[in-house]
Amino acid sequence: MRFILINIFFSFSLFSYTQEIDTRFDKNIELFGYIVHLAEPSNNNLDHPISKVINANVSTDSQIELLPPMFEIASTMEYSFLIELMLELPELPFDGSIELSKSLLKKSGYRTAKEIYNLEKLVGLLNEFASVSSFESVWKNLREYRLATKKRLEMQLRSLNVIGVMEEFYQQEFDQYELIPSLTILTSSGWGIKDRKANKAIFVLAPLAKNYNFSNERFESLMVHEFGHSFVNHVVDKNRELVKMSQHLYDSIGADMASQGYPNWIYCVYEHFVRAGEVMVPELNGDATKSQEVLNENINFKSFIYLSFIVNRLRHYRIDQNNSYKKSVKKTLKDLIVEYNLSDKN
């Protein structure tokens, strides 16, 4: 019965609607990657043409006196926040002052006068660095490689059909989906950002392998994962009290989670539900093998020990019972508390 329901549930999304994903490079993001490279040079192939462009003036730019105070301020900030900050800023360098949005300040937790001052100081340093460094020539000389990368990614995206499935599963949609690759951020990762003002979901993507390769087997799962944050995080946030009631579940996985960049339970809950979507979207798109691979990898190698339970409960509430995604998340969190109640286990 469950598989019949799955086929009915997704027949609409598979055949009647496919949302396009726009691909573009962002100059501020490339500047950010270049600055990080000055602090921590990548181990990419130095003979690659892109590496030669990026490294052309590294020895000079790395000595710019603006960098130490910039790194000192940024060292206290999350990488994902810095990515979002760069996307919010006008193209650097810019003239005049800028007022950071209240939503970004609230999201980041920067509220005190000192915190806001440091953030504004960082923006000023970034702006000045964009003026005095050789980044403008780096940006200009990477143009042909950006165009080639964009073309390859657009061809790759045409072969995928996941956005319609995600919109059906999460019962949400965005006016625009945007992929922002980067040739200068060399961490083999991605970041998902929700632009509430423009009703846009953004996926910032670093090369997934050496030699600026964006096209390996991780691409589709990473795309589902990072776009998933735009669908998931605000739904989880509406259940903060239930999240607090399951806080003790972090104890057994805290060390492993912190090493992956998830320093507290709320981050882990976001990740569990995003990864549950990463498991379910391939399944609902007809790829049960991929679904199982993602589940096994996250449980066995990344310590997401509650993922199987969450996937099963979401499948029950969202697919079998056809509840809304919001209601399914709430019910799943309640079940999680009951299933792992400490008093019941002692």
Side-chain angles (χ1 to χ4, degrees), residues 175-323:
D175 294 334
Q176 186 180 2
Y177 296 86
E178 193 170 70
L179 169 61
I180 301 178
S182 172
L183 294 175
T184 62
I185 299 178
L186 302 174
T187 60
S188 185
S189 188
W191 298 267
I193 296 165
K194 181 179 179 179
D195 185 339
R196 295 177 184 271
K197 204 181 305 181
N199 193 33
K200 178 167 60 177
I202 300 170
F203 170 28
V204 177
L205 175 66
L208 299 175
K210 280 191 175 183
N211 293 326
Y212 309 90
N213 177 12
F214 294 87
S215 306
N216 67 14
E217 70 282 354
R218 291 181 56 214
F219 177 78
E220 182 175 350
S221 288
L222 191 58
M223 183 173 71
V224 172
H225 181 110
E226 299 304 342
F227 277 138
H229 278 292
S230 294
F231 291 103
V232 167
N233 288 23
H234 65 285
V235 177
V236 170
D237 280 336
K238 291 183 181 298
N239 296 280
R240 286 272 184 162
E241 289 305 313
L242 291 174
V243 173
K244 287 180 182 177
M245 292 171 67
S246 57
Q247 174 69 42
H248 60 276
L249 299 184
Y250 187 71
D251 295 344
S252 58
I253 60 174
D256 289 328
M257 290 292 107
S259 68
Q260 296 176 67
Y262 313 125
N264 54 48
W265 180 233
I266 185 65
Y267 277 93
C268 286
V269 176
Y270 294 148
E271 286 297 316
H272 272 83
F273 278 94
V274 165
R275 289 164 198 255
E278 199 180 335
V279 171
M280 296 192 69
V281 167
E283 176 185 324
L284 297 168
N285 212 9
D287 193 346
T289 300
K290 178 67 173 178
S291 174
Q292 193 61 47
E293 287 175 355
V294 173
L295 182 65
N296 291 342
E297 179 184 358
N298 278 287
I299 293 173
N300 297 329
F301 300 106
K302 298 182 179 179
S303 300
F304 284 87
I305 61 176
Y306 311 113
L307 185 57
S308 184
F309 179 84
I310 288 173
V311 166
N312 288 334
R313 299 320 293 159
L314 275 180
R315 185 185 288 122
H316 173 69
Y317 292 126
R318 179 71 193 97
I319 309 303
D320 297 347
Q321 293 190 355
N322 198 28
N323 286 292

Side-chain angles (χ1 to χ4, degrees), residues 14-250:
L14 289 174
F15 297 109
S16 68
Y17 177 71
T18 302
Q19 172 66 285
E20 287 189 5
I21 301 172
D22 298 320
T23 304
R24 73 173 179 90
F25 278 84
D26 185 274
K27 191 175 180 181
N28 284 359
I29 292 295
E30 295 302 74
L31 172 63
F32 174 72
Y34 182 66
I35 291 171
V36 172
H37 177 65
L38 295 178
E40 299 177 9
S42 73
N43 61 350
N44 218 315
N45 178 7
L46 294 177
D47 293 324
H48 194 285
I50 294 176
S51 296
K52 290 181 178 180
V53 172
I54 293 173
N55 291 321
N57 295 289
V58 160
S59 59
T60 302
D61 284 349
S62 62
Q63 301 303 312
I64 294 175
E65 293 182 355
L66 298 165
L67 289 173
M70 189 188 304
F71 294 144
E72 183 179 358
I73 297 172
S75 67
T76 63
M77 300 174 180
E78 294 288 335
Y79 213 98
S80 57
F81 168 73
L82 292 169
I83 293 281
E84 191 166 357
L85 173 66
M86 297 303 286
L87 287 175
E88 176 164 309
L89 294 175
E91 186 176 294
L92 299 166
F94 60 87
D95 295 325
S97 59
I98 183 172
E99 184 176 347
L100 297 170
S101 71
K102 292 180 180 178
S103 61
L104 181 63
L105 293 173
K106 181 179 179 181
K107 181 178 179 180
S108 65
Y110 298 124
R111 294 184 176 86
T112 68
K114 183 177 180 180
E115 289 170 337
I116 295 174
Y117 169 79
N118 281 336
L119 198 51
E120 291 173 344
K121 183 178 179 181
L122 175 63
V123 171
L125 291 168
L126 288 166
N127 198 38
E128 190 175 353
F129 179 86
S131 295
V132 302
S133 71
S134 62
F135 174 73
E136 193 65 38
S137 67
V138 173
W139 171 257
K140 179 181 177 181
N141 292 332
L142 285 175
R143 183 177 185 276
E144 64 176 290
Y145 304 106
R146 291 197 301 274
L147 293 174
T149 300
K150 183 176 185 292
K151 185 176 180 179
R152 285 194 297 270
L153 282 168
E154 287 173 342
M155 290 180 61
Q156 189 172 354
L157 288 170
R158 282 198 287 272
S159 68
L160 302 178
N161 180 38
V162 295
I163 295 298
V165 179
M166 293 177 76
E167 289 185 338
E168 286 289 333
F169 175 63
Y170 290 116
Q171 292 186 309
Q172 303 167 60
E173 61 183 57
F174 292 90
D175 294 334
Q176 186 180 2
Y177 296 86
E178 193 170 70
L179 169 61
I180 301 178
S182 172
L183 294 175
T184 62
I185 299 178
L186 302 174
T187 60
S188 185
S189 188
W191 298 267
I193 296 165
K194 181 179 179 179
D195 185 339
R196 295 177 184 271
K197 204 181 305 181
N199 193 33
K200 178 167 60 177
I202 300 170
F203 170 28
V204 177
L205 175 66
L208 299 175
K210 280 191 175 183
N211 293 326
Y212 309 90
N213 177 12
F214 294 87
S215 306
N216 67 14
E217 70 282 354
R218 291 181 56 214
F219 177 78
E220 182 175 350
S221 288
L222 191 58
M223 183 173 71
V224 172
H225 181 110
E226 299 304 342
F227 277 138
H229 278 292
S230 294
F231 291 103
V232 167
N233 288 23
H234 65 285
V235 177
V236 170
D237 280 336
K238 291 183 181 298
N239 296 280
R240 286 272 184 162
E241 289 305 313
L242 291 174
V243 173
K244 287 180 182 177
M245 292 171 67
S246 57
Q247 174 69 42
H248 60 276
L249 299 184
Y250 187 71

